[in-house]
Amino acid sequence: MEALFWCCLVFGALIAIITLIFGDVLGGAADGATGWLPIDVNHLFQPVVLSGAVTVFGGSGLLLDRYSSWPNAGVYAGAVTIAVAIGAGMYFIYVRPMRDSENSTGYSMEDLAGKRAEVLTSIPANGFGEVLVRVGAGNVNHTAASFDREEVPSGTAVVVVEVKEGTLYVSRMD
């Protein structure tokens, strides 16, 4: 029994070190390996959660075996319970908040329809100007034309009505 706990403790510690060095590759492999599941549980099988749980299982099993008077089955059950609790804690305290905080800077031009913008370069009635649109955590500049075919001076708040051929067609905010 003690040999199993020592193996889990050492194996979990080695996996933690390997995860520290190759974490992105292993995280992608975990996503691919669980892609067949009908529910989204990929984040539960992240290497940091698994290696943490295996390490805690080994360590808590050693401590329970040495310092408690429980029978072998009780030691195993206690070690599994502690490992699951710590693994769940790692998921809810570390993995889930980090996953939810990820921001992407990628966007599609079609996503800009309906967005608010500010005119940077005046837009003539039958010509082009420039607008500043807030996308995600940043701002982007785009070529714009007036949707209503009227002049729009710089500094005016507008809304993107339509996106055609890489040009934003905007209308004044009223």
Side-chain angles (χ1 to χ4, degrees):
M1 176 160 61
E2 190 173 321
L4 172 68
F5 292 136
W6 272 111
C7 287
C8 288
L9 182 66
V10 171
F11 178 75
L14 287 174
I15 292 297
I17 292 169
I18 291 169
T19 300
L20 180 67
I21 297 169
F22 302 109
D24 290 336
V25 174
L26 293 174
D31 288 344
T34 59
W36 58 272
L37 293 171
I39 57 174
D40 184 26
V41 296
N42 297 340
H43 48 274
L44 292 175
F45 295 106
Q46 292 299 316
V48 69
V49 174
L50 291 177
S51 66
V54 168
T55 306
V56 168
F57 173 76
S60 62
L62 284 172
L63 292 173
L64 289 173
D65 186 40
R66 182 167 296 167
Y67 297 111
S68 74
S69 59
W70 294 356
N72 287 347
V75 170
Y76 284 124
V80 167
T81 302
I82 293 169
V84 168
I86 297 296
M90 289 173 63
Y91 169 72
F92 285 110
I93 292 171
Y94 178 72
V95 173
R96 187 174 175 188
M98 293 302 280
R99 184 195 61 185
D100 292 342
S101 70
E102 291 179 3
N103 285 330
S104 173
T105 58
Y107 67 95
S108 170
M109 289 290 286
E110 286 74 31
D111 294 340
L112 298 177
K115 295 266 189 198
R116 297 174 71 169
E118 180 183 345
V119 177
L120 295 178
T121 305
S122 297
I123 303 171
N126 292 319
F128 299 98
E130 185 178 25
V131 295
L132 178 73
V133 184
R134 182 162 183 81
V135 177
N139 297 320
V140 291
N141 300 1
H142 284 286
T143 304
S146 174
F147 182 78
D148 303 318
R149 302 281 184 211
E150 61 182 36
E151 185 175 331
V152 183
S154 63
T156 304
V158 293
V159 64
V160 179
V161 176
E162 181 178 39
V163 180
K164 260 198 265 184
E165 299 174 3
T167 302
L168 306 181
Y169 288 87
V170 298
S171 185
R172 292 178 192 244
M173 296 277 298
D174 290 327

